[in-house]
Amino acid sequence: MSADCVQLGGEQFTPHCYPAMILNPFLVAVVVVFASAVTGCPVLCTCRSQVVDCSGLRLFSVPPDLPLDTRNLSLAHNRLTSIPAGYLTCYTELRVLDLRNNSLVELPFGLFLTSKRLSHLDLSYNNLTQVVANMFQEAYNLVHIDLSHNPWLRKVHPQAFQGLVQLRDLDLSYAGLSFLSLEALEGLTGLVTLQISGNPWVCGCTMEPLLKWLRNRIQRCMSDTQLAECREPPEVEGAPLFSLTEESFKACHLTLTLDDYLFIAFVGFVVSIASVATNFLLGITANCCHRWSKANEDEEI
């Protein structure tokens, strides 16, 4: 008899597996009752056909025990501020996880280490501040990630989506992003839809690589780039990202020739000489004025 994974409650969720043993009928009945309690539906939640719905219950913490065969878990529209480390360890059948409209600031490292079958993840309408490197480690079957409407989301690490070659839909709209590294997107070879509007983009020289990449993929990758606008610098405030052309970034590629350096050196030399001459003339003028003033005083005496 194979070991059964049992999840215990508490802030730190640690899976335990009970070894196989020969049981008499009485013990078998006890084990069955215990297993039913462990894998039963959480209080207030509804469970049906491997779908567990705990949405809209004003929960401040995640339900400690879920059916081990859960495939679709909704914790949306609650008041969750954190997810315990190891919470998903026992739920290896999980395909869909809905955490939208909570107050999550961050996710624990390694949350998805056993979520190899997870395909849809919704983290929208939270308070996430950053997407760290390897946040979705081992969740290589993710197809859809929604990180939209996280107004405090300022940073997406270049390795945030590393290994997610199956990812088709990525929503980063209406966050607080002013910059997005091209490296964060280059490895997403299966990406079909990218949403980035509603962010305060700084359309300086660092934005050029991302825009070039988007232009090259516009036929294969649906994007809301036409709706995305620049927040800074002031001269392009409110301009759509795709209105920026290569000419817009011309100043980013200016290089000085030898003639330019010689001209700058010559101008600097002339300015220095002019400055010295001006100071010299001012000194002479001041000295003459002083002598003239003293001479007038002597004549009056």
Side-chain angles (χ1 to χ4, degrees):
M1 180 170 135
S2 61
D4 288 329
C5 187
V6 179
Q7 179 173 284
L8 303 180
E11 282 301 312
Q12 193 72 19
F13 286 74
T14 306
H16 296 274
C17 292
Y18 294 90
M21 61 179 72
I22 299 175
L23 302 174
N24 61 38
F26 175 75
L27 289 178
V28 169
V30 171
V31 170
V32 169
V33 172
F34 176 74
S36 298
V38 170
T39 60
C41 192
V43 177
L44 300 179
C45 301
T46 58
C47 303
R48 184 178 181 181
S49 302
Q50 297 178 301
V51 176
V52 180
D53 187 359
C54 301
S55 61
L57 300 179
R58 300 183 180 180
L59 300 177
F60 287 93
S61 60
V62 296
D65 302 313
L66 304 173
L68 299 180
D69 62 348
T70 299
R71 290 194 176 190
N72 188 325
L73 173 60
S74 177
L75 294 168
H77 311 296
N78 283 298
R79 301 177 181 179
L80 304 177
T81 58
S82 64
I83 304 293
Y87 180 63
L88 301 178
T89 300
C90 286
Y91 310 124
T92 56
E93 297 296 321
L94 194 63
R95 265 74 163 178
V96 178
L97 178 59
D98 188 353
L99 291 166
R100 61 187 156 141
N101 196 20
N102 279 285
S103 300
L104 297 173
V105 176
E106 61 180 1
L107 298 180
F109 179 77
L111 179 63
F112 305 107
L113 285 177
T114 60
S115 303
K116 301 183 187 300
R117 298 184 180 184
L118 187 66
S119 61
H120 287 71
L121 176 63
D122 194 338
L123 290 165
S124 61
Y125 293 93
N126 276 283
N127 296 322
L128 297 175
T129 58
Q130 61 178 329
V131 184
V132 300
N134 297 310
M135 176 182 273
F136 311 101
Q137 188 176 0
E138 300 300 329
Y140 296 136
N141 282 311
L142 274 169
V143 173
H144 174 88
I145 298 178
D146 191 345
L147 287 160
S148 66
H149 296 89
N150 277 272
W152 307 113
L153 181 58
R154 299 282 192 270
K155 180 181 180 182
V156 174
H157 194 278
Q159 277 81 49
F161 309 112
Q162 189 171 16
L164 303 185
V165 295
Q166 303 295 330
L167 192 66
R168 293 175 59 84
D169 307 311
L170 177 61
D171 195 341
L172 295 169
S173 62
Y174 298 96
L177 297 173
S178 60
F179 169 74
L180 181 61
S181 170
L182 175 57
E183 188 179 347
L185 302 177
E186 278 184 317
L188 304 179
T189 55
L191 197 63
V192 174
T193 303
L194 175 65
Q195 307 293 327
I196 61 172
S197 63
N199 285 283
W201 297 111
V202 175
C203 299
C205 295
T206 56
M207 180 62 77
E208 185 181 16
L210 176 63
L211 281 178
K212 279 188 175 181
W213 184 83
L214 287 171
R215 289 182 187 282
N216 292 334
R217 290 182 58 89
I218 196 63
Q219 299 300 325
R220 293 177 293 157
C221 178
M222 295 174 59
S223 175
D224 63 348
T225 315
Q226 298 288 357
L227 302 177
E229 296 181 349
C230 301
R231 179 71 59 84
E232 295 181 16
E235 55 267 25
V236 293
E237 182 179 1
L241 289 186
F242 263 16
S243 69
L244 303 179
T245 63
E246 291 186 5
E247 188 70 20
S248 305
F249 298 99
K250 186 176 181 180
C252 300
H253 305 286
L254 290 178
T255 56
L256 298 177
T257 64
L258 179 59
D259 291 341
D260 294 326
Y261 285 113
L262 291 175
F263 177 75
I264 293 172
F266 174 74
V267 170
F269 176 75
V270 171
V271 170
S272 298
I273 294 298
S275 177
V276 171
T278 301
N279 290 332
F280 178 73
L281 291 175
L282 288 175
I284 292 176
T285 302
N287 187 44
C288 291
C289 289
H290 177 71
R291 289 185 177 183
W292 179 78
S293 177
K294 188 175 181 181
N296 287 340
E297 291 177 358
D298 292 340
E299 288 178 2
E300 290 177 358
I301 294 174

